[in-house]
Amino acid sequence: MIMKKNEADPRVIRTRRLLQDAFASLIQEKDFESITVRDIAERATVNRATFYAHFADKFEILESRLTESFMTIINRRISGHKILNEETIQSIFLGVCDFHKDLSTMCKRRYNSLGPVFEIQIKEKIQKILLSFIDKDKMLSNPNAQFLLNTASIMLSWGMYGAAYVWNNEGRLISAESFVKQTMPLVMNGAKELLD
């Protein structure tokens, strides 16, 4: 990020929010490709130099918006969860479904092209969330356990992301809750290593 200013400064926070809100309203009206930095700056009532003081380009503001949206959804879903168990994994999986649904709503015409653009970042966030529930002493005490836990969390995060992407892309023929409930046995089979 280009942040030249103090990120904790209320003016910086307010300006970033103005820019993100302007972008969010524009993405409802236009294809991402046709949105310009000038459009975002004008909608936010700031100049382009101010935009560039906060974001490198429109891709960075999109990434910021999607990451923030994803974390808001996930945090709401896992609020109150203390350990990694089936209920926590189900909540994370539902959050991933919520994210895909919201992304396809926000970027109606460009979901298929935008979804994969941020796939790696979202998968990494899911993996970190899963690992955040794991006892760090357990991971550090045994290098082999650390390898297995990392691998299991990668496979689980990629599986949840991919399954939710396909569910959404195929038109959400059943509710997220039904979809997750039906697929949880497969997910839990892959999560065994994380839960031991």
Side-chain angles (χ1 to χ4, degrees), residues 93 96 100 123 126 130 152-166 179 183 187:
F93 197 3
V96 176
H100 278 291
K123 286 177 184 173
I126 298 166
L130 290 166
S153 66
I154 290 167
M155 292 176 74
L156 193 55
S157 66
W158 285 45
M160 285 192 284
Y161 182 92
Y165 177 82
V166 170
F179 172 71
T183 56
V187 171

Side-chain angles (χ1 to χ4, degrees), residues 65-168:
R65 175 89 176 146
L66 294 180
T67 301
E68 183 181 297
S69 171
F70 178 72
M71 291 311 298
T72 299
I73 289 166
I74 292 295
N75 287 333
R76 187 173 54 239
R77 286 280 186 181
I78 64 172
S79 175
H81 291 263
K82 303 282 186 239
I83 60 168
L84 190 64
N85 56 24
E86 185 170 352
E87 184 182 345
T88 304
I89 291 171
Q90 184 171 327
S91 294
I92 294 168
F93 197 3
L94 282 166
V96 176
C97 289
D98 292 345
F99 171 75
H100 278 291
K101 183 179 176 185
D102 287 358
L103 178 60
S104 65
T105 302
M106 182 173 84
C107 308
K108 293 175 189 76
R109 288 171 279 186
R110 294 291 173 229
Y111 172 70
N112 289 339
S113 62
L114 289 178
V117 170
F118 300 105
E119 179 178 339
I120 298 298
Q121 292 98 320
I122 299 301
K123 286 177 184 173
E124 287 174 357
K125 292 235 177 273
I126 298 166
Q127 180 191 7
K128 286 178 182 165
I129 292 163
L130 290 166
L131 290 174
S132 73
F133 285 99
I134 304 294
D135 180 8
K136 300 301 176 234
D137 293 334
K138 178 181 176 182
M139 283 186 74
L140 297 174
S141 66
N142 181 348
N144 191 44
Q146 186 174 0
F147 171 77
L148 287 174
L149 291 169
N150 274 327
T151 302
S153 66
I154 290 167
M155 292 176 74
L156 193 55
S157 66
W158 285 45
M160 285 192 284
Y161 182 92
Y165 177 82
V166 170
W167 163 80
N168 188 65

